[in-house]
Amino acid sequence: MAGFVLQRLFQAVIVVFAMSIIVFVGVYAIGNPIDVLIDPGADQATRAALIAQYGLDLPLWRQYANFLAGVATGDLGRSLIYNVPVVDLIFSRLPATLELVLVSVAIATGVGVPLGLYAGYRPESVPAKAIMAFSVLGFSVPTFWIGMILIMTFAVELGVLPSGGRGAVGSLFGIPTSLATADGWSHVILPAINLSLFNMGLMIRLTRAGMVEAMGAEYVRFARAQGLSEGRIVRSHVLKNISIPLVTVFGLELGSTLAFAVVTESVFNWPGVGKLIIDSILQLDRPVMVAYLVLVVILFVLINFTVDLVYARLDPRVRLGGGASE
C-alpha cells in the first residue's frame, strides 16, 4: 500500500506542475490587464511604470518562475483590482461556494442513488422509465435556463424562496456558515437544486446500470436461494459491489461541482468563488485567474488521490495491479 501511495503522490505532483504551466500560459495569452487598470489617455511613461510595478515587463518564463517562488511560500500574488492578497480574496469567498457545493452534492447523491436503485430493480416499470426520463433532462437542459425557471417559479410566482444572495450567516460548531440559519437555508436551496441536477442524472444512470448488472449475477441468485430478503440483498451485497464506480463518480462530481459552480453562482448572485472568477475574467485580474485555476487543479488532484485510496481500500486488486486511474 505504501508503494501505491507514493506512486500516486508522484503522479499528482507531475500533473499539478504540468497544469500550472498550461494555466499560466493560457491566462497570459488572453489579454493585457494594464489595458483595464490604466486610463487610456495616460502617457507612455505612466503606462511603463505601472507595467514594471506589476512585473508584466518580464519575460513569460521569469514571471512563471516568480509565481512558483511565491507558491512555495504560500504567496499567490495580489489582486490587481482589489489590491489584496489573492489567497485572502479567494478564501473569503470559498465558504459560500463550499456550502453550495456540499448541499448540491448531498442532494444529487441522496436522491440520485435511491432513484437509480429503484430504476435498476424494476427497470420495466412506469416509475423507472419516468426516473430515466428525468435523468435525461438533467443532462440535456442548460443549467442557466433551469436556474431562471426556478427563480420565476419559486421566487417570483410563488414567493416562497428568495431569488438570490447567501442569506444570514450563523455559527455551526464554531464555523461561520449560512447553513446554521433558516434564512441561509432558504437562500441555498434553489441554487443547490439547480447545481445538483446534472450530477443527479449521472448518479441515477450509473446506479441503475450497476443495479441491472448486479441483479443478474450469481451471488444474487445464491443469496435468494439462502432465503435472504430483497432489501438485505440490495444493502449487503449489491450496494457493496457497485460502490466502487459510485465512489469514483462521487469524488469527480465533488471536484467538478466546486470548479464549475460559476453559472449557478452568476444566475443566483451567490457570493462565491465562481462569481469572483467571472468578475476577474471581465476585469482581466490575472493573479486571481491563475491562482483560482491552479487551486482547482490541486483540488481535482487531491480528490482523485483520495478516490484512488478509497478505491484501493474497497478493491485490493487495484493497489496490487495498479488498476486505478489518475
Side-chain angles (χ1 to χ4, degrees):
M1 188 67 179
F4 176 81
V5 172
L6 289 175
Q7 179 188 9
R8 286 293 180 265
L9 281 174
F10 177 74
Q11 292 176 352
V13 171
I14 295 299
V15 169
V16 171
F17 178 71
M19 289 303 300
S20 70
I21 296 176
I22 295 173
V23 165
F24 198 87
V25 173
V27 170
Y28 182 87
I30 66 173
N32 189 350
I34 297 301
D35 296 333
V36 178
L37 290 173
I38 199 169
D39 188 333
D43 57 47
Q44 192 61 33
T46 303
R47 183 182 178 88
L50 192 60
I51 291 174
Q53 176 184 338
Y54 289 110
L56 300 177
D57 57 334
L58 300 175
L60 180 58
W61 69 268
R62 184 71 177 273
Q63 293 185 45
Y64 178 70
N66 291 341
F67 171 73
L68 287 184
V71 170
T73 60
D75 179 14
L76 298 180
R78 296 182 70 88
S79 168
L80 302 180
I81 303 300
Y82 300 98
N83 195 30
V84 296
V86 169
V87 173
D88 295 343
L89 184 60
I90 290 178
F91 278 91
S92 69
R93 303 288 192 96
L94 190 58
T97 297
L98 288 176
E99 292 169 4
L100 179 60
V101 167
L102 291 176
V103 174
S104 69
V105 169
I107 293 173
T109 305
V111 176
V113 172
L115 290 181
L117 288 174
Y118 180 84
Y121 188 72
R122 305 282 188 189
E124 299 302 323
S125 66
V126 173
K129 293 179 180 179
I131 290 171
M132 296 310 296
F134 170 74
S135 72
V136 172
L137 288 177
F139 281 114
S140 306
V141 182
T143 302
F144 70 88
W145 188 84
I146 296 176
M148 290 188 290
I149 293 298
L150 290 174
I151 291 173
M152 288 295 298
T153 303
F154 293 98
V156 178
E157 296 295 333
L158 299 179
V160 295
L161 292 171
S163 61
R166 188 183 178 191
V169 176
S171 179
L172 185 65
F173 303 114
I175 302 174
T177 172
S178 62
L179 301 183
T181 66
D183 183 62
W185 274 103
S186 69
H187 281 77
V188 78
I189 192 66
L190 283 185
I193 290 174
N194 183 55
L195 190 59
S196 70
L197 289 179
F198 178 87
N199 293 324
M200 189 186 300
L202 182 63
M203 295 298 286
I204 288 173
R205 299 182 74 85
L206 182 66
T207 306
R208 179 192 179 276
M211 187 70 174
V212 169
E213 182 179 358
M215 292 305 292
E218 291 288 340
Y219 67 86
V220 171
R221 288 196 286 268
F222 182 73
R224 283 173 172 162
Q226 287 184 309
L228 298 180
S229 66
E230 292 294 306
R232 185 176 177 185
I233 291 173
V234 172
R235 289 191 304 270
S236 302
H237 298 280
V238 175
L239 268 178
K240 182 178 180 180
N241 282 276
I242 68 174
S243 61
I244 290 179
L246 292 181
V247 167
T248 303
V249 170
F250 179 85
L252 297 177
E253 172 187 322
L254 180 61
S256 62
T257 304
L258 184 58
F260 303 118
V262 175
V263 175
T264 296
E265 289 189 2
S266 298
V267 170
F268 289 90
N269 195 29
W270 188 261
V273 181
K275 184 73 165 53
L276 173 65
I277 194 61
I278 287 294
D279 295 339
S280 299
I281 291 172
L282 294 175
Q283 298 168 328
L284 289 180
D285 197 347
R286 189 180 291 173
V288 176
M289 288 188 284
V290 172
Y292 171 78
L293 293 173
V294 170
L295 288 175
V296 166
V297 170
I298 294 174
L299 174 70
F300 263 100
V301 170
L302 288 176
I303 290 176
N304 215 6
F305 177 71
T306 304
V307 168
D308 276 346
L309 295 182
V310 176
Y311 203 109
R313 182 70 177 176
L314 292 173
D315 188 353
R317 294 173 299 179
V318 171
R319 59 177 180 264
L320 293 176
S325 59
E326 180 69 33

